[in-house]
Amino acid sequence: MMAQPRVVIYARHSTSLQNPESSEDQIRACGPLVERLNGCVVDTHSDPEVSGYRRDRRGLKDLLRQVRDGEVDIVVCEALDRLARDGEDVAWLGKQLRYHRVQLYTTTEGEICEVKLAVASMMGAIFLENLRKKTLRGMEAAVLAGRIAGGRIYGYRRAERFDGNGERIKGLLEINPETAPVVVRILSEFASGKSAYTIATALNSEGIPGPSGGKWNQSTIRGDPKKYVGILHNPLYRGQLVWGRREWRRDPDSEKRERRYRLTDKSQWIETEVPELRIVDEDLAGRVKAQVESRTCPGRSGNSAGQMRKKHLLSGLIKCGSCGRNYVINGKDYYRCAGQREGTCNGDGSIRKSVVEEAALHVIQERLMTAELAELFAAEFAREVERLRSGSDSEAARLSERLKEIESEIANLAGNFVKGVVSETLVKMLNDREAEKERIERRLDAAKSTHKAVVIPHPVLLERYGERVRKAREALSDPSVREEASETLKSLIDTITIHIEGTGTYADIVGNPAGIIDLAYNKPATSRRRSASSIA
């Protein structure tokens, strides 16, 4: 007699605007299908108020863990778009289930086969693209009507106004009488010559909350004039609403699909006058603009922030052990925690630049690469090369076979185009295949290069490293090559954390092994992820 199949039910709904019981309703709706399958529900998983575009959903992860552990025979959900929205994710989940011989059923489509997966993948991609276009179209219409399409903006609060049906009108703001004077104060003080650091420190000392409710910092005030971000550059304070400056994209290599953006061309920006939201007058706005320009254009008088600055050897590497903020140059010869300057760090003290630089150079030269470390690296490298060589042949064969399949599919798609059969779906499929072909060709090249890898004997490795560090250190005194030498030495360090305890000060210097090995091999600094080891 066949054993009763083990069933796991999955449910998900996207936002709090949907019925909060939506996921529970989906689980109940799967009951009749489980009965028809003569299954036994061993577990249920749900992801309420989580986007189907994310792979890091807790319920989905728990489901896949049970699948990999062999605890599931059948997965049941209301519809495929509950499992995933993105076409790539639908195909990925289908492969996971097929590999572990787990069947997939939905209450709307029944058993999910290869064809249904392919169709669902295509429909999911179309749905997401249409949703994106509709969302942008709605946001654009709101902006043209003078409403705000984004989130909260410091200096304003949400306006409670209603339409003829009694529904609240979304996107309306009004000037906040509590925070708007702070905006005027910041711009007035900056226009009078005060720095963003000084302004932030004063606001923090007076206990005035920042835009997020916490402490102020100089970057919140100074921002970036090219991106129109920061208190100094927000055009809304001048009564102008600018939308469409940034194009947001989701990172396909991230489980969370974090959003990234790039600036769009100014011709695509939408600008609308909203004089009722003006906080500062033209005179103050003009004086702020003049100050920004004078501090960013080299050669002008009063250019304290934008003149050609001297390159400091450890800029960007020194962290505060108390608050984690960067140490910055303070005066001529000292580093000091940026948070302490702004009043957000309780740490105390500063450190002389020459002392910390000399200590860092000594560690680089004497302690980041020793005979023991070089020998260990040589042994591990040789072992890894041998492992890769043993598996590269089978991997290359598999990739070559897949490359033939991809080339055949590309040829078939191109044939459809020649015949006049063209659609967005076919274009997307062709782009996907060409991208996969490029990835496979790169992996094949990498597999071939594995056979060529040869490790330098560790005594030679150590000698080369010491010689190159010595030359780079000597080059710091030559202005013509100082910057290049500085970058070379900085590539060997991950972080320097300053700890001040009582009257004593010490530093944790964390080396970057990838940069160390690249220097020994006479390569440019690597962009690989750093795997650091700490040396105090």
Side-chain angles (χ1 to χ4, degrees):
M1 180 178 178
M2 182 177 294
Q4 194 175 23
R6 299 163 298 174
V7 177
V8 172
I9 298 176
Y10 178 81
R12 178 192 64 80
H13 65 274
S14 298
T15 71
S16 58
L17 299 179
Q18 295 177 259
N19 181 355
E21 298 181 356
S22 176
S23 291
E24 294 298 324
D25 292 340
Q26 292 173 34
I27 292 173
R28 284 193 291 269
C30 291
L33 175 57
V34 175
E35 291 181 7
R36 291 198 298 272
L37 296 172
N38 191 32
C40 173
V41 177
V42 296
D43 212 342
T44 60
H45 301 289
S46 63
D47 284 309
E49 300 180 25
V50 181
S51 169
Y53 199 75
R54 296 177 58 160
R55 285 189 182 181
D56 68 332
R57 289 169 269 157
R58 172 175 290 185
L60 180 63
K61 283 191 166 186
D62 290 341
L63 168 64
L64 292 177
R65 177 187 54 76
Q66 288 185 296
V67 168
R68 288 191 293 268
D69 291 345
E71 301 173 4
V72 186
D73 298 312
I74 299 174
V75 172
V76 173
C77 57
E78 184 183 49
L80 266 176
D81 60 9
R82 299 301 90 199
L83 278 172
R85 283 287 191 187
D86 181 71
E88 179 185 355
D89 289 346
V90 171
W92 173 73
L93 286 168
K95 288 181 180 179
Q96 292 275 325
L97 297 179
R98 285 197 305 274
Y99 178 78
H100 294 284
R101 298 183 178 179
V102 174
Q103 293 177 287
L104 176 60
Y105 282 82
T106 69
T107 60
T108 55
E109 295 103 346
E111 183 177 6
I112 305 301
C113 61
E114 293 281 351
V115 175
K116 289 182 180 179
L117 274 175
V119 172
S121 176
M122 178 184 68
M123 296 303 294
I126 294 174
F127 170 83
L128 288 174
E129 180 63 18
N130 288 338
L131 178 63
R132 186 185 72 85
K133 290 179 178 178
K134 289 178 181 178
T135 302
L136 290 176
R137 191 160 57 244
M139 294 172 72
E140 181 178 335
V143 171
L144 291 172
R147 303 200 304 273
I148 306 300
R152 295 180 300 174
I153 302 175
Y154 189 78
Y156 301 92
R157 65 187 180 188
R158 187 169 60 181
E160 297 291 336
R161 300 177 195 168
F162 303 88
D163 59 19
N165 298 322
E167 297 288 335
R168 187 179 68 83
I169 303 175
K170 298 179 180 179
L172 292 180
L173 295 181
E174 62 184 11
I175 295 175
N176 188 329
E178 296 180 0
T179 56
V182 180
V183 173
V184 176
R185 169 184 169 175
I186 291 172
L187 270 63
S188 299
E189 292 183 353
F190 185 85
S192 67
K194 290 187 178 181
S195 68
Y197 270 121
T198 303
I199 297 171
T201 301
L203 293 172
N204 288 327
S205 66
E206 295 173 29
I208 299 175
S212 61
K215 298 287 188 178
W216 288 88
N217 60 63
Q218 59 86 20
S219 60
T220 302
I221 296 172
R222 190 171 58 194
D224 187 337
K226 294 181 180 179
K227 298 178 181 178
Y228 281 22
V229 295
I231 298 293
L232 297 178
H233 313 295
N234 193 333
L236 195 58
Y237 298 144
R238 305 190 303 271
Q240 186 179 45
L241 176 58
V242 180
W243 181 79
R245 306 190 307 271
R246 295 176 286 187
E247 178 187 39
W248 290 91
R249 295 168 293 175
R250 292 186 181 272
D251 182 1
D253 293 327
S254 164
E255 283 192 338
K256 292 184 179 180
R257 298 294 202 267
E258 288 97 346
R259 298 173 72 200
R260 301 286 186 267
Y261 75 85
R262 68 174 180 84
L263 287 179
T264 60
D265 188 88
K266 280 196 173 184
S267 62
Q268 298 177 268
W269 296 6
I270 295 176
E271 301 181 9
T272 304
E273 297 297 324
V274 282
E276 69 277 9
L277 295 180
R278 175 188 284 274
I279 291 180
V280 300
D281 57 33
E282 285 297 329
D283 176 64
L284 178 55
R287 288 191 288 120
V288 169
K289 182 179 179 181
Q291 277 289 333
V292 170
E293 291 177 349
S294 70
R295 301 187 197 193
T296 55
C297 296
R300 292 191 184 181
S301 61
N303 178 21
S304 60
Q307 291 177 345
M308 297 300 291
R309 297 173 178 171
K310 181 181 178 182
K311 297 291 184 180
H312 300 287
L313 177 61
L314 302 179
S315 295
L317 295 179
I318 308 178
K319 305 288 183 183
C320 175
S322 297
C323 69
R325 295 284 300 278
N326 280 346
Y327 264 62
V328 296
I329 285 294
N330 183 48
K332 182 180 179 182
D333 296 318
Y334 286 86
Y335 283 104
R336 186 182 181 188
C337 173
Q340 185 187 350
R341 292 180 60 181
E342 297 167 2
T344 60
C345 177
N346 296 325
D348 186 26
S350 56
I351 185 168
R352 187 179 290 275
K353 185 177 71 167
S354 60
V355 172
V356 69
E357 287 183 353
E358 182 59 32
L361 289 171
H362 175 77
V363 170
I364 288 173
Q365 192 163 8
E366 304 295 337
R367 300 185 63 183
L368 287 187
M369 175 64 87
T370 64
E372 292 78 13
L373 290 176
E375 184 177 3
L376 177 62
F377 166 76
E380 289 297 325
F381 186 88
R383 188 178 297 112
E384 180 66 10
V385 168
E386 186 59 34
R387 185 188 68 79
L388 292 174
R389 281 173 177 164
S390 63
S392 62
D393 290 338
S394 58
E395 174 72 1
R398 186 185 67 79
L399 291 174
S400 297
E401 187 64 28
R402 178 55 183 160
L403 183 60
K404 291 179 182 178
E405 295 175 1
I406 291 294
E407 290 174 341
S408 177
E409 292 176 12
I410 291 175
N412 290 336
L413 290 169
N416 286 328
F417 291 154
V418 172
K419 295 176 183 178
V421 182
V422 180
S423 69
E424 289 187 8
T425 301
L426 289 178
V427 170
K428 183 179 183 302
M429 291 176 66
L430 180 60
N431 290 335
D432 290 345
R433 298 303 184 274
E434 288 179 339
E436 184 177 357
K437 178 184 176 184
E438 184 179 348
R439 289 196 298 270
I440 291 175
E441 289 174 342
R442 286 200 302 267
R443 291 175 65 184
L444 280 171
D445 290 341
K448 294 175 183 176
S449 66
T450 302
H451 294 277
K452 303 175 184 177
V454 178
V455 65
I456 298 175
H458 75 270
V460 180
L461 194 71
L462 189 62
E463 184 180 345
R464 283 190 183 182
Y465 172 80
E467 179 65 16
R468 287 181 58 78
V469 169
R470 184 185 62 78
K471 289 182 178 179
R473 190 170 180 177
E474 291 174 354
L476 291 177
S477 59
D478 185 347
S480 63
V481 293
R482 173 183 169 83
E483 186 172 345
E484 181 181 351
S486 175
E487 290 301 316
T488 297
L489 293 172
K490 285 170 68 175
S491 71
L492 307 178
I493 298 176
D494 189 39
T495 58
I496 300 174
T497 305
I498 302 296
H499 301 275
I500 300 177
E501 297 180 357
T503 58
T505 301
Y506 70 94
D508 281 333
I509 300 180
V510 181
N512 174 15
I516 293 169
I517 298 305
D518 282 348
L519 184 69
Y521 272 86
N522 199 28
K523 295 180 181 179
T526 184
S527 61
R528 295 194 300 270
R529 183 180 296 275
R530 293 177 174 181
S531 175
S533 58
S534 179
I535 301 177

